[in-house]
Amino acid sequence: MADTDVPIDPVQPKKKGLTRRQKRKLSRGIQYTVFVAAVIALAVTADWGRLQNQFAQPDIAEQMFPDIITLALKNTVLYTLSGFVFGLVLGMVIALMRLSSVGPYRWFAGIYIEIFRGLPALLIFIFIGVAIPLAFPGVEIPGGTYGKVALALGLVAAAYMAETIRAGIQAVPKGQMEAARSLGFSPARAMVSIIIPQAFRIILPPLTNELVLLFKDSSLVLFLGVTLEERELSKYGRDLASTTANSTPILVAGLCYLLVTIPLGFVVRRMESKAQEAVK
């Protein structure tokens, strides 16, 4: 019996779909469209007249100058720098204790870091302003309000800086310590002269980020009870907003924060990009 010829179906051409690159472009296009639509919807529905009346009164903003710069911004910068310096020194000590071969030092450093990283900064300010005077009657923290703020901000910042510094020290190649020891350096001298300077080049960007965070946390100084001459930006803006029954002072105070934080953020990004180029 002769085999019957079975017709063979011609090969159907495969349907071409979107390439991966086209899918990405389509996805980006959809995202941009949604974003633009959301911005337009907010711009159309917002009551700009009421916002201007409440947040953008030129005559009220004019009353804030020059005191908001010469008093409020100056105090904010001083509070931030004092807390940063104290936190950096204490953080260095805690970091070295964390790396110590002595058990009690490591335990103390670990407990300190966990406690002060876990507690809100607000509670630390309340503790400094209320608990210490109750526990030690008649004892005054040196520097008055500036000393209290430096202590409160420094205690919080030190917990974060300690971990940053520890990570920076451990990131330095071990061969650096071995080379220093072979040249006759003691462990302490090698750490101070060789290891720590290299570690600070690594951790400079995150430390600058910490400075930005402290600049904003300085607004908690109001919980210590400050005089008119000791007010920082947030306290100054809130007081004037209450006096004028208008929120323009709060907006101006926020813009003053941005005058400092935006340049610092730019500096951080530049340092991070330079660090990445150095690694490459």
Side-chain angles (χ1 to χ4, degrees):
M1 184 176 178
D3 294 334
T4 58
D5 294 335
V6 178
I8 300 175
D9 293 336
V11 178
Q12 297 293 331
K14 294 182 179 180
K15 294 182 179 179
K16 292 185 178 180
L18 295 176
T19 64
R20 190 172 299 177
R21 183 177 181 182
Q22 289 173 331
K23 289 179 180 179
R24 285 199 300 266
K25 291 178 66 175
L26 179 61
S27 175
R28 283 197 298 267
I30 294 174
Q31 293 175 30
Y32 292 151
T33 302
V34 172
F35 175 76
V36 171
V39 171
I40 293 175
L42 288 174
V44 171
T45 57
D47 191 338
W48 295 103
R50 294 182 63 184
L51 285 174
Q52 182 179 0
N53 289 334
Q54 187 64 26
F55 287 96
Q57 290 296 323
D59 54 335
I60 296 177
E62 188 177 354
Q63 296 174 16
M64 302 177 67
F65 293 90
D67 287 348
I68 193 170
I69 302 297
T70 59
L71 177 67
L73 182 58
K74 181 199 72 175
N75 284 336
T76 302
V77 172
L78 290 177
Y79 293 148
T80 303
L81 291 179
S82 60
F84 182 81
V85 171
F86 179 73
L88 183 61
V89 174
L90 182 59
M92 175 64 71
V93 174
I94 297 297
L96 294 176
M97 292 175 67
R98 185 79 160 161
L99 295 171
S100 174
S101 59
V102 182
Y105 287 170
R106 294 198 308 274
W107 303 334
F108 174 82
I111 293 171
Y112 176 91
I113 290 171
E114 293 302 323
I115 289 176
F116 284 94
R117 283 201 309 181
L119 289 175
L122 172 61
L123 296 184
I124 305 301
F125 272 82
I126 294 175
F127 177 81
I128 297 297
V130 178
I132 289 183
L134 290 176
F136 305 98
V139 175
E140 292 289 337
I141 297 176
T145 301
Y146 294 97
K148 294 178 183 178
V149 175
L151 180 60
L153 287 178
L155 288 174
V156 176
Y160 293 93
M161 290 185 184
E163 286 294 87
T164 302
I165 295 171
R166 177 191 61 80
I169 291 174
Q170 291 180 327
V172 177
K174 293 182 180 180
Q176 296 292 318
M177 175 62 79
E178 296 171 356
R181 296 286 289 141
S182 66
L183 293 174
F185 284 71
S186 65
R189 186 183 173 193
M191 179 64 71
V192 173
S193 302
I194 306 297
I195 305 301
I196 290 179
Q198 294 185 61
F200 265 85
R201 284 197 291 270
I202 299 172
I203 64 176
L204 198 55
L207 285 182
T208 309
N209 273 328
E210 185 62 32
L211 180 62
V212 174
L213 295 176
L214 285 181
F215 187 75
K216 294 184 292 184
D217 285 344
S218 64
S219 62
L220 297 174
V221 69
L222 64 92
F223 291 97
L224 296 177
V226 295
T227 64
L228 293 177
E229 296 300 319
E230 295 170 339
R231 290 178 297 175
E232 41 69 52
L233 283 171
S234 293
K235 175 66 173 172
Y236 184 87
R238 288 182 59 184
D239 288 350
L240 198 56
S242 299
T243 303
T244 60
N246 191 275
S247 299
T248 299
I250 296 177
L251 177 62
V252 177
L255 294 176
C256 289
Y257 276 104
L258 294 178
L259 286 176
V260 177
T261 57
I262 289 178
L264 281 177
F266 176 76
V267 171
V268 171
R269 289 191 295 272
R270 289 289 297 172
M271 288 190 296
E272 288 176 345
S273 62
K274 286 185 178 181
Q276 291 175 356
E277 290 175 1
V279 172
K280 292 178 182 179

